Amino acid sequence: MKWFIKLFRGKSEKPIERKWKTERFDRKIFLDEQPTSSEEMPVTEEVYALTTIRNFQCDSISEFIVESEWVFVSKEKLMEPKYQERLSRMSSLTEFCKKLSKNKECRKTTVVVKPPGCHCAELADEEAEEKIRDSNPIKIFFKSVRDLWKCVCKTIKKIFNKNDEVIQIDESDFEITNSYLSAGRVRALRGGRTSLGAGAALRAYALHLAQDKSTTFAQNVDNFIACTLDSKETCPQVMMRNMRQFMSGMKNYLVKHGEREFEKEVEKERLKLKPTEFLNIDAILEGVMHRLVVRPLRSKLYTLLASWHATDVRQLHAAIERAQHVTALQLGVKESTKVPSSAVLAVISKHFLKMQEADSPLDKLENLLAAISAMFNAIRGERAVGADDLLPVLAWCVSRCRLVCAELEAELMAGLLPPALLAGEGGYYLTALFSAVAVLKRLAPEAGSDSSASCRRGSECSNRETAAVVRVALPDECRGWIRRVALPCRPAARVRDLCRALAHAAAITNPQDYALFALHDGHETMLNENDCPQEVMSEKSGQNFVLAYKRIDAKIAWPQQALLSYP
Amino acid sequence: MSSKISGTNNFKVVLLGEGCVGKTSILLRYIEDKFNDKHLSTLQATFLNKKLNINNKRINLSIWDTAGQERFHALGPIYYRHSHGAVLVYDITDDHSFAKVQNWVKELKKMLGADIVLVIAGNKIDLEHERTVSLEEAERYAELVGAKHFHTSAKLNRGVEELFLELSRAMLDRSERTPTAPVPRALALAEDDEAASTSTCCWTTPSNG
C-alpha cells in the first residue's frame, strides 16, 4: 500500500480530476485488498487486484474494470521490493506479465481470475488456470468487481481525502453501469465487437475481405456506398432504410454463402472456443457493417438529417433555450423527485456527448442507456422509478445538457439499429428520448420560427452549406485527441453565440481563453466575435476547411486529412 | 433468430393510466414476486422483461410503462404502436382515472383496432371503503368493450399475477389465430363514431391549447 501511495502521490501536484484524465500516468497501478468475496475465491490468503490506469477515464468505470487487464497477486508477493520495482518500470500490464513469464517468475504470481480480455492469465501457470475454470471465473469476477471497486474508491478517498465530489460521481457511475450491464441484448451485441473478444479474428477477416477489391463482398459494399453518396435522395429515412437493408443483406450473404475463407475462418475460431464461450456472429458482423457502411456515409447522413429536420432542430433549440428558465416542476417533474445534481448532470452530459461522437448506432445506444442509468441512480429514492418520473427528468436533462441534436440522434438510431434490438430495452429508452424531445418542443412556439425559416429557405440559402448544423473540431488537450461536435447554428448567428454553445458543450469553464478558428491547409485563422460562422463556411465551401474551437494559446499540429472526411 | 424458430412469442405490453393510479407499483409487484434479486436492486420500473410458460409455449413479455400525467397524453401513440396488449389501470377511489381509462380504450380501439388485447385493472382495492368507481359499472364497461376486468392491489399483491397471466393467454390466443384468420372481432367495431368525437378532446392537451 505504501508503494501505491508513494507512486501515486509522486506526480499528483495537479488537482485530482486532471490527473484522472491524463494518460501519461500509465505506469501507475491500482491495487487493493480483495474484500468480502474472498470466501468464494479459490485462495485463502489475502489477495491484491492490480491493473493499470492507462485506459482509465472517470466516466466509464465499468468499461475500465471489465476491459482492463487484472492481475491478482498474494500480498506477500506484492510487498517484495523487487516485484514493486519491476511494476513501476513496466509501461503496461501485458508487458509486465510477459516479462514475468519469460523470467519464469510467473509461477509465483497467482493469477486468480481471468476477466474477459485479459492476456495475462494466458501466461500464468496452467495449474492456476485449471482451478479457475472449475469455479467459473467470470461469475466470481463480476461478483467481486463491485466490492473491489468500492474498496478502490474508499482507498482513493482515504489518500486524497478531498474533492469528494469527483469520487462520488465515480461510485454512482459504477453502480449505474452495473445495472446497465444487465441490458442483455445490447451487452451481448457489444461483446462481439470489442477487439479483444473471441470474434476479433472474424471481424478482422471480414474487414480484410472488404479491403480485397476482387471479392463480391467488397464490390457490393463499395458500390452501395458510391451509389448512396451519389443519390439525390433527400429523405434520411429512405437512406437509412436502404442502409439497414443493405447491412442485413450483407450479413446474410456472408453467413449463408461465405466468401473466400470466411466459413473456414468461422470453423477455425470455433475450435478455439472454450466450453463457456460462443461466437455471436450476428453481433460481430453487425459491428463490421457499421464500420464499413455507417462510417463512410455518416457525414452524408447527418447532412440529410439536418436539412430534413431543420425546422425541428430550430424548434428544439428554441425550446431548450426557453427551458433554461423553466423549473423542473413546470416540466412535469414531481415535487417528490429530485433532479440530478450538477455533478451527475456532468456525467450525463458526457454520455450524451459520446453518443453524438460515436459512429456506430450501437455505440450511440449504449451511451444513451448509460446516460439514462445515471438518471435512474440520481432520482431513485425510497420508491421505484416509473415512467412518470423518468420522462420529465429525461426532458429536463436534455434541456440542461443542451442536447439540441437529440432528435437527429434518436432518428439515426431508430433508422439504423437492427429491428430486433428496438423491440427491447434499447427501443424503450429510444422512445423515451423521442418523447422527451416532444415534451420539450411544446415549450417553443411553432408558428414564429416556422415562417422565418421558410422564407429563409426560399432565398439563397437553399444549398447545403447553410444547413442548420455546424461541425466544429474540439481538440482535447488532456486526452490528446480531437473531438467533433455538431451544433445547431442559425444562419444569422455570430461566432460569439457559437462559442458560448461550444464552451457549454465541452464543459469549458474558462471560455475567455478559447476562440473559434478557421483551419485551412494547416493555417489557423482566429475568427472575430462578430463574424457569422455560416457565412465563413459558405465562402470557403469546397476547400479543405474546418472550424475548430481551441484554447487561444494551444499549439496544435492538425492532422492533414482526417478532419474533413470525418465530420 | 433461433429462439423464434423454437417458438418464443415476444409480446409488447403497454401500461396506461393516469399519474397516481399505481402503474409502476403493479409492474414492480409483478416482477418482484418472481425475480426478487436482479431487477429490484436497480428499482427501475419503466421497462421490464418477463418470461412465462403457458401450455409449454414460451412467452416473453416486454412491459412498457408510460408517463400518466395529462400533459404527456399526446405521447401515447409512440409508446403503444406495435403493442400486442395494453393494461389500463385506474384507481377505484378516483372517478377521473376511470374516465381516463375510457378515453384510452377509445383511442386504442381507433388506432389499433382488434390487434390489441385490452385488460382493465381497478387498482387499490385495499382502499375498498373509499371506493368511488362503482364495481358493476366498471365490469359492465369492460365487458362492453371486450376487455377483461381485474381487481388488483399492488400493496396486498392481489390480482396482479392473474392479470398478466390472463393477458398473456389472450395475446397468445390471438397471435395463434391471426395468421390464419385476421378477422377483427365484432366488439372492436363498437362505438366508432363516439370514439372519433371524444378522441379529439382527449388529444387536446393544455399546453397545445
Side-chain angles (χ1 to χ4, degrees), chain A residues 129-324:
Chain A
E129 217 183 307
E130 268 320 302
K131 244 190 240 166
I132 298 158
R133 211 176 288 165
D134 293 342
S135 49
N136 194 353
I138 309 281
K139 214 166 130 195
I140 296 178
F141 182 71
F142 271 95
K143 258 189 196 163
S144 55
V145 155
R146 198 201 186 95
D147 298 341
L148 175 69
W149 175 247
K150 269 188 193 148
C151 239
V152 171
C153 275
K154 222 189 286 164
T155 319
I156 298 168
K157 255 185 198 164
K158 227 188 289 166
I159 296 167
F160 292 99
N161 210 10
K162 55 191 163 188
N163 215 337
D164 273 352
E165 201 178 51
V166 173
I167 292 164
Q168 217 180 334
I169 298 169
D170 295 347
E171 271 180 353
S172 64
D173 192 53
F174 177 65
E175 276 199 32
I176 300 154
T177 31
N178 204 29
S179 62
Y180 124 75
L181 279 179
S182 61
R185 275 201 109 129
V186 175
R187 194 68 207 164
L189 270 166
R190 171 157 214 279
R193 298 182 307 129
T194 51
S195 52
L196 291 169
L202 219 53
R203 181 188 159 89
Y205 190 77
L207 289 173
H208 165 77
L209 276 182
Q211 288 298 312
D212 182 347
K213 299 303 172 200
S214 64
T215 62
T216 318
F217 180 64
Q219 283 165 6
N220 266 321
V221 170
D222 288 352
N223 273 342
F224 178 78
I225 289 171
C227 286
T228 312
L229 286 176
D230 274 352
S231 142
K232 296 274 183 292
E233 180 61 60
T234 54
C235 174
Q237 267 72 30
V238 173
M239 177 175 171
M240 289 192 290
R241 199 168 60 219
N242 292 341
M243 285 165 76
R244 184 63 252 165
Q245 269 172 6
F246 177 76
M247 291 193 289
S248 302
M250 287 321 283
K251 271 161 65 179
N252 278 338
Y253 167 77
L254 274 187
V255 173
K256 292 197 177 133
H257 297 268
E259 178 127 35
R260 297 273 152 93
E261 310 280 293
F262 186 78
E263 277 154 330
K264 269 190 199 157
E265 205 66 31
V266 173
E267 277 310 304
K268 222 160 72 191
E269 287 304 300
R270 275 183 55 195
L271 290 176
K272 284 190 210 157
L273 292 176
K274 304 213 168 84
T276 52
E277 292 176 329
F278 71 99
L279 274 182
N280 189 343
I281 297 181
D282 192 44
I284 297 163
L285 292 183
E286 181 71 27
V288 170
M289 295 318 295
H290 287 172
R291 169 75 198 285
L292 292 176
V293 177
V294 180
R295 194 181 278 185
L297 294 176
R298 175 192 162 108
S299 129
K300 162 118 179 176
L301 182 54
Y302 268 106
T303 315
L304 284 197
L305 277 169
S307 46
W308 188 266
H309 290 287
T311 356
D312 294 310
V313 170
R314 263 194 291 272
Q315 199 189 338
L316 185 59
H317 187 241
I320 284 176
E321 285 310 317
R322 189 165 289 208
Q324 306 303 317

Side-chain angles (χ1 to χ4, degrees), chain A residues 179 329-332 376 380 384-388 390-392 423-425 427-429 431-432 434-435 438-439 442, chain B residues 1 18-19 23-24 28 38 41-47 62 64-69 71-72 75 78-79 205 207-208:
Chain A
S179 62
L329 217 60
Q330 283 167 298
L331 267 178
F376 272 128
R380 77 173 186 213
V385 179
D388 289 346
L390 177 70
L391 184 55
E425 196 163 17
Y428 180 82
Y429 293 112
T431 306
F434 273 119
S435 34
V439 169
R442 274 189 282 164
Chain B
M1 265 181 278
E18 225 206 323
K23 293 187 304 286
T24 310
L28 213 60
K38 214 162 64 190
S41 63
T42 64
L43 273 181
Q44 70 89 358
T46 54
F47 172 90
S62 303
W64 292 39
D65 190 15
T66 59
Q69 296 95 310
R71 61 163 83 205
F72 299 135
L75 301 172
I78 68 170
Y79 281 93
T205 48
S207 53
N208 262 347

Side-chain angles (χ1 to χ4, degrees), chain B residues 30 36 45 56 61 69 90 112-113 122 124 132 143 162 186-188 193:
Chain B
Y30 180 55
N36 45 3
N56 285 327
L61 296 183
Q69 296 95 310
Y90 69 91
L112 300 171
K124 304 196 185 173
T132 57
E143 202 186 334
E162 293 85 341
L187 284 166
D193 289 351

Side-chain angles (χ1 to χ4, degrees), chain B residues 60-112:
Chain B
N60 184 25
L61 296 183
S62 303
I63 310 173
W64 292 39
D65 190 15
T66 59
Q69 296 95 310
E70 187 59 43
R71 61 163 83 205
F72 299 135
H73 185 99
L75 301 172
I78 68 170
Y79 281 93
Y80 63 63
R81 67 175 171 194
H82 306 310
S83 286
H84 301 91
V87 179
L88 303 147
V89 189
Y90 69 91
D91 177 348
I92 61 161
T93 68
D94 181 1
D95 279 333
H96 180 69
S97 71
F98 185 64
K100 192 78 194 288
V101 162
Q102 295 175 321
N103 275 343
W104 278 121
V105 169
K106 280 165 196 153
E107 190 179 328
L108 287 172
K109 292 262 180 203
K110 189 170 166 239
M111 308 299 288
L112 300 171

